[in-house]
């Protein structure tokens, strides 16, 4: 009897030890910026993966298509993003198995992600990501975001990470609902350039994706033209009394 109790006690201790949580993100991606435009949704992110403050990886794709009608972008822990993509693969496969002529739209996928993120937060084991979900179905454009604790909303333009502070003011000034594809790309490039100048985790290698009724297109990685000759960049501490 005593040995049985001892074995039960040891197995309980082992299960406690095996339970692991993401206490802090390791490899992370920075901002994602997305807007509605005339024909659909445009989304931009760079391809950096930071190990702490070290820019360790330079080719991390953080924008992925989901099903027929949606596009997902993620900031934060890359391994948790991969886990979310596995969840979504299962969801889309289950949806396809019905073979009923219908398919999950962006609104449904976004709703699912809000439940997943909030559920994991309530278990004190959050998925360490901020997500942007955009898409087009039956002529209706949809764009929303969800944070690592399940806070979510829809808008005409959204951003994660530093983009929330540095890109959205630009979008509030310059975005309008009749943006052409070319003007939308220029606006996103302007936002990404500002983030490149100001966010230490950003790199000059980005992708822009679009989704319309016709489907998803993700661009090849490319770099932006930059100018670092501003006097404020050359001597940033001039006039800052007491700084290094």
């Amino acid at each position: 009897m005593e040995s049985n109790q001892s074995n039960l006690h040891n197995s309980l201790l082992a299960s406690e030890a095996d339970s692991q949580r993401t206490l802090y993100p390791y490899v992370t991606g920075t901002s994602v910026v997305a807007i509605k435009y005339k024909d659909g949704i445009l989304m931009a992110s760079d391809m950096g993966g930071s190990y702490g403050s070290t820019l360790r990886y330079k080719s991390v794709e953080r924008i992925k298509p989901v099903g027929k009608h949606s596009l997902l972008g993620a900031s934060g822990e890359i391994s948790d993003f991969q886990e979310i993509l596995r969840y979504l693969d299962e969801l889309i496969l289950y949806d396809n198995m019905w073979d009923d002529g219908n398919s999950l739209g962006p609104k449904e996928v976004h709703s699912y992600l809000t439940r997943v993120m909030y559920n994991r937060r309530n278990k004190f084991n959050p998925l360490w990501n901020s997500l942007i979900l955009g898409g087009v179905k039956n002529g209706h454009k949809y764009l929303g975001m969800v944070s690592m604790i399940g806070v979510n909303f829809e808008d005409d333009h959204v951003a994660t990470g530093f983009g929330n502070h540095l890109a959205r003011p630009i979008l509030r000034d310059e975005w309008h609902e009749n943006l052409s594809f070319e003007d939308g790309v220029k606006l996103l490039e302007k936002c990404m350039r500002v983030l490149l100048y100001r966010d230490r985790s950003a790199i000059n290698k980005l992708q822009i994706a679009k989704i319309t009724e016709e489907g998803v297109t993700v661009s090849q990685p490319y770099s932006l033209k930059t100018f670092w000759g501003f006097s404020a960049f050359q001597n940033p501490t001039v006039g800052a009394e007491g700084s290094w």
Side-chain angles (χ1 to χ4, degrees):
M1 181 70 179
E2 281 185 14
S3 67
N4 286 344
Q5 285 182 333
S6 175
N7 289 338
L8 178 62
H9 180 66
N10 289 337
S11 68
L12 285 171
L13 284 177
S15 65
E16 285 275 320
D18 291 340
S19 177
Q20 305 233 337
R21 287 167 168 72
T22 306
L23 299 177
Y24 196 79
Y26 279 80
V27 179
T28 58
T30 185
S31 312
V32 182
V33 185
I35 60 173
K36 291 180 181 177
Y37 78 106
K38 191 173 60 174
D39 299 321
I41 305 293
L42 285 168
M43 193 179 293
S45 79
D46 70 17
M47 302 188 72
S50 298
Y51 180 73
S53 57
T54 303
L55 280 167
R56 174 65 182 81
Y57 303 103
K58 308 287 175 63
S59 297
V60 180
E61 293 187 12
R62 296 189 289 117
I63 300 177
K64 296 286 186 180
V66 179
K68 296 177 183 174
H69 308 288
S70 304
L71 192 61
L72 178 67
S75 295
E77 171 60 54
I78 301 301
S79 64
D80 283 351
F81 178 45
Q82 292 168 337
E83 179 76 354
I84 289 165
L85 290 175
R86 279 193 285 273
Y87 290 164
L88 290 170
D89 281 344
E90 285 184 27
L91 181 75
I92 298 301
L93 180 63
Y94 181 72
D95 183 47
N96 290 342
M97 281 164 54
W98 287 98
D99 196 22
D100 58 358
N102 194 15
S103 53
L104 290 173
K107 188 167 186 176
E108 291 81 33
V109 176
H110 183 235
S111 179
Y112 170 79
L113 289 171
T114 65
R115 299 306 87 212
V116 168
M117 302 302 271
Y118 186 63
N119 174 260
R120 288 290 294 261
R121 172 260 191 199
N122 284 343
K123 291 178 177 177
F124 293 88
N125 187 18
L127 293 160
W128 220 285
N129 298 99
S130 289
L131 305 172
I132 290 179
L133 196 287
V136 184
K137 186 179 180 185
N138 300 330
H140 179 67
K141 293 175 278 192
Y142 185 92
L143 184 59
M145 70 85 61
V146 54
S147 77
M148 64 179 279
I149 59 172
V151 174
N152 62 90
F153 59 88
E154 299 170 50
D155 209 337
D156 295 320
H157 47 77
V158 292
T160 65
F162 249 93
N164 243 336
H165 305 284
L166 300 180
R168 290 207 75 194
I170 297 169
L171 296 174
R172 287 189 191 107
D173 283 344
E174 300 187 23
W175 179 88
H176 58 88
E177 61 185 338
N178 291 317
L179 276 174
S180 66
F181 171 73
E182 291 76 16
D183 289 341
V185 169
K186 280 181 189 170
L187 183 54
L188 284 180
E189 286 181 346
K190 182 176 182 178
C191 293
M192 298 306 287
R193 190 175 286 108
V194 168
L195 288 165
L196 178 63
Y197 286 146
R198 295 295 178 190
D199 179 2
R200 64 111 192 249
S201 299
I203 67 168
N204 195 5
K205 183 181 180 183
L206 66 143
Q207 286 182 301
I208 290 184
K210 74 167 180 176
I211 181 163
T212 64
E213 288 279 18
E214 279 72 53
V216 178
T217 309
V218 182
S219 76
Q220 290 297 310
Y222 69 100
S223 298
L224 298 172
K225 288 183 180 175
T226 57
F227 176 73
W228 296 92
F230 297 109
S231 58
F233 286 162
Q234 291 170 350
N235 197 348
T237 59
V238 167
E241 200 173 320
S243 73
W244 290 97

